[in-house]
């Protein structure tokens, strides 16, 4: 206690009580002088709890006096304080109660002078705790448990202005040496921050999408261009600064940026504009003359030829074979992958493969763990998620071809389309080939391609009939639906496996 004369006097505490405490961790443990003990509410975390400490000796309160409370928090048991507040009362013999504060205030008020809100508070407390209404409360609780649980996510909210933290520059990056405070702002080389606009996250978002921002349209359109053409107009997509590359077509980048703003940031409209352009619709074939003049396609003398991204490789196979689940939204799923992939990952639980439609969701919904990424995605150069990735590198390895041939997802896709060709496909070998080819490669096959695939089909069918190949293994879970057509269905499955493994299948033509 700090008196009016600036003298400080220590006041001893005793008589601790609490509304709740972990067994063996009562509030009195905070006063026993042992730093290894203390009050803990483990088992009731996240709910309001109270502790009351009494002065050992009476304190006469005088005008100008201050109460100074020093809290020592020891982290040995990882039970840190969350939101808390302190209050002082002159009530003699006060003890902590399990009742909510508003109920205690209502009880302390004179019965005749209680307000309508206080009476309603007491009635609600009685209904929530009385044995008379226990059966009704249990019925209500059971009904609430039956209500559907919607997925939730954590959202970061900004502190109010009066509670905003002070941000300081740290000398040489040392967090123990804070220096001058800094205020939120934007780079002076860019457009000015609007006067009167609050310097918070909403204000910054509005500054970013301002018509005066010279970077937003260029950066976004450059990324969209890279998605379609394999590289951006500014090749250093992660760096638009002075150390980045200059745009190969600055006027085109300016046009796209301005058009993006004019179309009110409509991404679909800009995507349509790009893919319907004559530049994108060119064939990817290159003559020796073009290779000599424009080897890196910087002049866009031919169409882009880049591989689909990892998630798209899988989605394309599922879509072509009729297995893709087109549901939008929902929690992550666990598509099939080789057993043991996650077994050695740190803190990894068993990979419980999803069943039903969830087995064939888009790659976007695949569960991702940094220490054990989905195997097929990793093989096709998907980033691990440990660092920000603005541009994916592309490799070409034998493991990728083996994945397209043998991975469970691609095998099941081949089996599904093989069964479709036998049961619902057109009559005739060549007609079935044209359907399968169109489904996978999105174009009509040439007569030569039909003839080559036809010979492959006949060869596999002959091997199956001779017993050189096991049709049951090729068909997997489709065996029970094959019946007398087992060999034909297995042969078409082999054909689809080849089509899914073609270079053209996973490349933008």
């Amino acid at each position: 206690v700090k008196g009016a004369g600036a003298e400080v006097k220590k006041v001893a505490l005793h008589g601790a009580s609490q509304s709740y405490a972990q067994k063996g961790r009562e509030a009195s443990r905070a006063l026993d002088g042992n730093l290894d003990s203390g009050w803990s509410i483990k088992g009731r975390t996240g709910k309001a709890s109270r502790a009351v400490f009494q002065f050992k000796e009476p304190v006469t309160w005088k005008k100008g006096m201050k109460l100074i409370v020093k809290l020592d928090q020891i982290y040995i048991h990882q039970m840190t304080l969350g939101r808390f507040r302190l209050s002082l009362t002159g009530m003699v013999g006060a003890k902590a109660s399990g009742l909510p504060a508003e109920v205690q205030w209502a009880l302390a008020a004179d019965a005749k002078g209680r307000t309508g809100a206080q009476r309603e508070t007491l009635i609600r407390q009685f209904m929530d705790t009385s044995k008379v209404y226990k059966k009704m409360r249990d019925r209500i609780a059971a009904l609430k448990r039956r209500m559907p649980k919607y997925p939730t996510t954590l959202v970061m909210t900004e502190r109010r202005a009066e509670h905003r933290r002070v941000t300081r520059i740290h000398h040489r990056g040392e967090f123990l040496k804070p220096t001058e405070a800094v205020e939120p702002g934007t780079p002076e080389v860019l457009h000015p921050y609007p006067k009167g606009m609050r310097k918070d996250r909403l204000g910054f978002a509005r500054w970013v999408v301002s018509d005066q921002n010279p970077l937003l349209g260029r950066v976004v359109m450059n990324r969209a261009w890279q998605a379609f053409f394999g590289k951006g107009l500014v090749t250093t997509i992660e760096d638009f600064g002075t150390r980045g590359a200059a745009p190969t077509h600055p006027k085109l980048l300016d046009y796209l940026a301005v058009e993006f703003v004019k179309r009110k940031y409509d991404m679909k409209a800009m995507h349509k504009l790009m893919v319907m352009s004559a530049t994108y619709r060119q064939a990817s074939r290159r003559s020796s003359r073009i290779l000599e003049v424009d080897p890196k396609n910087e002049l866009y003398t031919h169409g882009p030829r880049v591989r689909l991204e990892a998630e798209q490789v899988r989605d394309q196979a599922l879509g072509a074979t009729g297995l893709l689940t087109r549901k939008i939204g929902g929690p992550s799923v666990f598509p099939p992958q080789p057993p043991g992939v996650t077994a050695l990952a740190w803190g990894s639980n068993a990979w419980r493969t999803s069943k039903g439609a969830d087995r064939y969701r888009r790659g976007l919904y695949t569960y991702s763990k940094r220490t054990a990424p989905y195997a097929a995605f990793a093989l096709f150069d998907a980033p691990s998620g440990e660092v920000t990735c603005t541009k994916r590198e592309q490799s070409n390895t034998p493991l990728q071809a083996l994945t397209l041939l043998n991975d469970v997802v691609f095998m099941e896709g081949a089996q599904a389309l093989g069964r479709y060709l036998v049961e619902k496909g057109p009559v005739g070998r060549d007609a079935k080939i044209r359907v399968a080819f169109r489904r996978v490669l999105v174009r009509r096959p040439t007569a030569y391609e039909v003839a080559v695939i036809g010979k492959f089909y006949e060869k596999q069918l002959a091997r199956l009939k001779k017993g050189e190949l096991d049709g049951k293994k090729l068909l997997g879970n489709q065996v029970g639906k094959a019946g007398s057509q087992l060999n034909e269905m297995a042969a078409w499955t082999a054909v689809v496996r080849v089509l899914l493994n073609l270079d053209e299948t996973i490349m933008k033509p």
Side-chain angles (χ1 to χ4, degrees):
V1 177
K2 185 177 181 180
E7 71 279 6
V8 178
K9 180 182 178 181
K10 289 187 177 181
V11 181
L13 301 176
H14 80 132
S17 60
Q18 70 283 321
S19 61
Y20 174 82
Q22 178 188 357
K23 187 177 180 180
R25 293 282 178 178
E26 295 76 15
S28 58
R29 294 296 188 96
L31 306 176
D32 61 5
N34 181 6
L35 294 180
D36 192 31
S37 65
W39 179 42
S40 171
I41 60 166
K42 187 176 182 180
R44 201 170 185 270
T45 306
K47 298 181 180 179
S49 299
R50 288 163 290 279
V52 174
F53 301 92
Q54 300 178 16
F55 292 137
K56 196 169 186 180
E57 299 176 1
V59 176
T60 303
W61 208 258
K62 298 179 181 179
K63 187 177 181 180
M65 291 178 62
K66 293 182 179 180
L67 179 66
I68 301 173
V69 180
K70 181 181 178 182
L71 297 177
D72 286 330
Q73 186 168 335
I74 308 300
Y75 297 87
I76 186 171
H77 296 293
Q78 297 298 315
M79 295 298 293
T80 57
L81 286 172
R83 295 178 60 185
F84 70 96
R85 63 182 179 179
L86 302 174
S87 58
L88 188 67
T89 179
M91 185 183 296
V92 178
K95 290 187 178 296
S97 169
L99 294 174
E102 61 270 16
V103 175
Q104 295 187 54
W105 283 113
L107 289 172
D110 181 67
K112 294 182 180 179
R114 286 178 185 139
T115 64
Q118 288 176 330
R119 286 193 294 272
E120 185 178 341
T121 297
L122 293 177
I123 292 172
R124 184 172 295 279
Q125 178 68 17
F126 175 75
M127 295 177 68
D128 288 344
T129 57
S130 173
K131 294 181 180 179
V132 176
Y133 297 103
K134 185 177 185 306
K135 289 185 178 180
M136 296 181 67
R137 290 198 303 271
D138 292 344
R139 287 181 60 190
I140 293 172
L143 289 172
K144 287 182 176 180
R145 286 193 296 269
R146 289 168 55 188
M147 293 178 66
K149 294 182 179 180
Y150 299 99
T152 59
T153 185
L154 295 175
V155 177
M156 294 182 67
T157 59
E158 192 167 13
R159 288 171 173 259
R160 295 198 298 269
E162 60 269 25
H163 299 305
R164 186 173 295 162
R165 290 192 181 99
V166 177
T167 302
R168 297 181 180 274
I169 296 175
H170 292 85
H171 180 65
R172 300 179 66 86
E174 174 57 58
F175 75 97
L176 293 176
K177 297 179 180 179
T179 56
E180 64 269 22
V182 294
E183 294 294 326
T186 53
E188 291 184 357
V189 296
L190 300 177
H191 60 294
Y193 202 85
K195 292 182 179 179
M197 186 178 289
R198 292 176 56 182
K199 293 185 177 181
D200 55 12
R201 291 167 62 187
L202 178 59
F204 178 70
R206 287 172 174 164
W207 175 84
V208 168
V209 298
S210 168
D211 292 350
Q212 303 301 314
N213 188 349
L215 276 180
L216 176 67
R218 289 174 172 82
V219 170
V220 176
M221 289 299 97
N222 192 56
R223 291 188 177 185
W225 190 270
Q226 176 185 263
F228 290 116
F229 290 89
K231 60 180 179 181
L233 294 169
V234 176
T235 54
T236 54
I237 194 168
E238 73 287 351
D239 188 356
F240 264 64
T242 56
R243 299 178 67 88
T248 56
H249 297 70
K251 291 185 179 180
L252 173 58
L253 186 59
D254 288 346
Y255 166 76
L256 292 173
V258 173
E259 195 69 19
F260 185 44
V261 176
K262 282 184 178 179
R263 301 194 184 199
K264 300 186 182 301
Y265 307 104
D266 189 337
M267 292 296 293
K268 287 188 176 181
M270 298 307 297
H271 290 168
K272 182 178 179 181
L273 179 66
M274 291 183 189
V275 299
M276 295 191 70
S277 66
T279 305
Y280 184 79
R281 294 162 69 183
Q282 294 179 103
S284 60
R285 297 185 183 89
R286 296 171 292 178
S287 64
S288 57
R289 174 62 179 165
I290 288 177
L291 282 174
E292 182 181 346
V293 174
D294 188 21
K296 296 182 179 180
N297 200 25
E298 293 178 345
L299 302 177
Y300 297 101
T301 51
H302 54 275
R305 182 169 176 78
V306 292
R307 196 192 67 209
L308 298 175
E309 293 185 351
E311 297 86 350
Q312 296 172 334
V313 171
R314 179 177 177 276
D315 292 352
Q316 190 269 351
L318 291 176
T321 56
L323 291 181
L324 182 66
T325 301
R326 300 185 182 275
K327 174 185 173 183
I328 297 176
S332 298
V333 295
F334 298 81
Q337 66 172 338
V341 170
T342 61
L344 299 178
W346 182 85
S348 178
N349 297 322
W351 185 272
R352 295 179 177 85
T353 302
S354 300
K355 300 185 182 300
D358 283 348
R359 190 180 180 93
Y360 307 115
R361 296 292 305 278
R362 295 182 187 274
L364 172 69
Y365 301 105
T366 300
Y367 178 80
S368 177
K369 188 175 180 66
R370 284 180 296 175
T371 55
Y374 187 61
F377 291 173
L379 282 172
F380 283 96
D381 309 306
S384 65
E386 294 173 304
V387 294
T388 302
C389 177
T390 57
K391 182 179 180 180
R392 297 188 182 189
E393 300 298 330
Q394 287 195 356
S395 63
N396 190 4
T397 69
L399 283 177
Q400 294 169 355
L402 288 172
T403 298
L404 294 176
L405 276 174
N406 301 313
D407 186 84
V408 176
V409 172
F410 296 93
M411 278 298 301
E412 290 183 355
Q415 291 160 1
L417 185 52
R419 178 189 170 198
Y420 170 84
L421 293 172
V422 172
E423 294 181 351
K424 300 179 181 180
V427 178
R429 186 198 70 181
D430 290 357
K432 294 182 188 296
I433 291 173
R434 292 187 180 91
V435 168
F437 200 95
R438 187 75 185 273
R439 288 277 294 267
V440 176
L441 295 172
V442 202
R443 69 173 177 85
R444 293 181 177 85
T446 63
Y448 173 77
E449 289 168 333
V450 171
V452 170
I453 296 172
K455 289 181 181 179
F456 178 79
Y457 166 77
E458 297 294 347
K459 183 177 180 179
Q460 304 312 308
L461 182 61
R463 295 178 66 195
L464 285 161
K465 290 180 178 180
K466 292 178 181 178
E468 295 179 9
L469 292 178
D470 190 341
K472 293 182 179 180
K473 288 184 178 180
L474 267 176
L475 289 179
N477 57 10
Q478 300 287 340
V479 170
K481 303 168 186 176
S484 60
Q485 297 176 309
L486 186 146
N487 288 334
E488 288 77 7
M489 197 177 292
W492 285 115
T493 297
V495 169
V496 178
R497 284 182 73 196
V498 171
L499 294 178
L500 291 176
N501 195 253
L502 291 176
D503 183 67
E504 184 180 344
T505 303
I506 61 172
M507 299 288 288
K508 291 183 181 180

